[in-house]
Amino acid sequence: MNNIILMMCALLLTACAAPQVYNGKQQFSSAGYSLTTPPRHTVDYFVEGLTNQLIESNQYLTASTPLAVTSFVDLQDMGVTNWLGNVVSENFMFQMQQRGFTVVDYKSTGVIKVTRNGDFSISRNWQELSSQQPVDYVLTGTMLRQSGGVLVNARIIGMRSHVVIATAQGFLPAERIGRDLDFMNKIQIRNGVIMRTEQQQPTTNNVVLRP
């Protein structure tokens, strides 16, 4: 009897210590919320699983090798991304850095811009970024909209060799994403500025990631 009671207490303590899971749709209940164990979005767990796959299949990437993470793109139009592609890339930056890898944030301007609206040190305006970045590998991937969710493929590629050294794949159910899959509201870069549009406008202004 005592063993059963102790086991139940241990399970309760484990449940309390684990972060709450939030899918982004229903209103979040703060009951039992702890500042020391913040809740996690379901996308976090999804990307964590993909990261585990990348680590398991990794052949060459080491902790000291500079790695950049780019937006995940639409498989049917690799010049286009959206909010989900940027969220996934941000999550990968977190996961790889937490595992001790050297993650290069090429969107860092190297300065702090102080304005009335806030203080900023990162940007997507190519004119504010260094034209060359020391990167040996890039983590990127594609997304394919399917009924019920999105198929996500991730890979790490050598900048010099173009060789894929790690891969991962997973299906993200729409109900776990937390907002509608509005792939019509696409993001494109036009003259270094983020534009939400359907028009296909090529841009020649790029930040070059050099190995």
Side-chain angles (χ1 to χ4, degrees), residues 112-186:
I112 300 175
K113 181 190 295 185
V114 180
T115 72
R116 293 183 178 180
N117 297 323
D119 310 326
F120 307 94
S121 62
I122 57 177
S123 173
R124 290 187 184 276
N125 186 340
W126 67 274
Q127 293 178 320
E128 298 179 347
L129 305 179
S130 174
S131 60
Q132 296 187 7
Q133 303 277 348
V135 174
D136 289 345
Y137 290 94
V138 58
L139 194 167
T140 188
T142 61
M143 305 176 297
L144 177 63
R145 172 74 181 275
Q146 295 182 322
S147 60
V150 181
L151 178 63
V152 180
N153 283 274
R155 50 189 173 269
I156 299 177
I157 308 170
M159 292 293 292
R160 291 189 182 91
S161 64
H162 300 256
V163 173
V164 176
I165 66 166
T167 57
Q169 184 184 72
F171 183 77
L172 182 58
E175 63 182 13
R176 299 299 183 91
I177 293 177
R179 58 177 292 185
D180 294 333
L181 293 177
D182 184 11
F183 273 69
M184 300 302 293
N185 188 18
K186 298 176 180 178

Side-chain angles (χ1 to χ4, degrees), residues 69-81:
V69 184
T70 65
S71 302
F72 278 51
V73 298
D74 187 340
L75 180 61
Q76 297 176 311
D77 188 348
M78 292 189 178
V80 173
T81 188

Side-chain angles (χ1 to χ4, degrees), residues 48-93:
E48 182 178 358
L50 293 181
T51 305
N52 292 335
Q53 293 183 41
L54 290 174
I55 300 301
E56 291 174 2
S57 63
N58 172 43
Q59 299 177 2
Y60 300 108
L61 184 67
T62 65
S64 60
T65 309
L67 171 72
V69 184
T70 65
S71 302
F72 278 51
V73 298
D74 187 340
L75 180 61
Q76 297 176 311
D77 188 348
M78 292 189 178
V80 173
T81 188
N82 52 40
W83 61 268
L84 182 58
N86 288 327
V87 168
V88 169
S89 68
E90 290 290 324
N91 274 268
F92 268 117
M93 289 183 66

Side-chain angles (χ1 to χ4, degrees), residues 21-29 175-176 178-179:
V21 181
Y22 181 53
N23 66 4
K25 287 189 174 181
Q26 291 79 19
Q27 184 164 357
F28 179 72
S29 173
E175 63 182 13
R176 299 299 183 91
R179 58 177 292 185

Side-chain angles (χ1 to χ4, degrees), residues 101-115:
F101 290 94
T102 303
V103 180
V104 177
D105 191 348
Y106 51 88
K107 296 185 294 295
S108 174
T109 61
V111 298
I112 300 175
K113 181 190 295 185
V114 180
T115 72

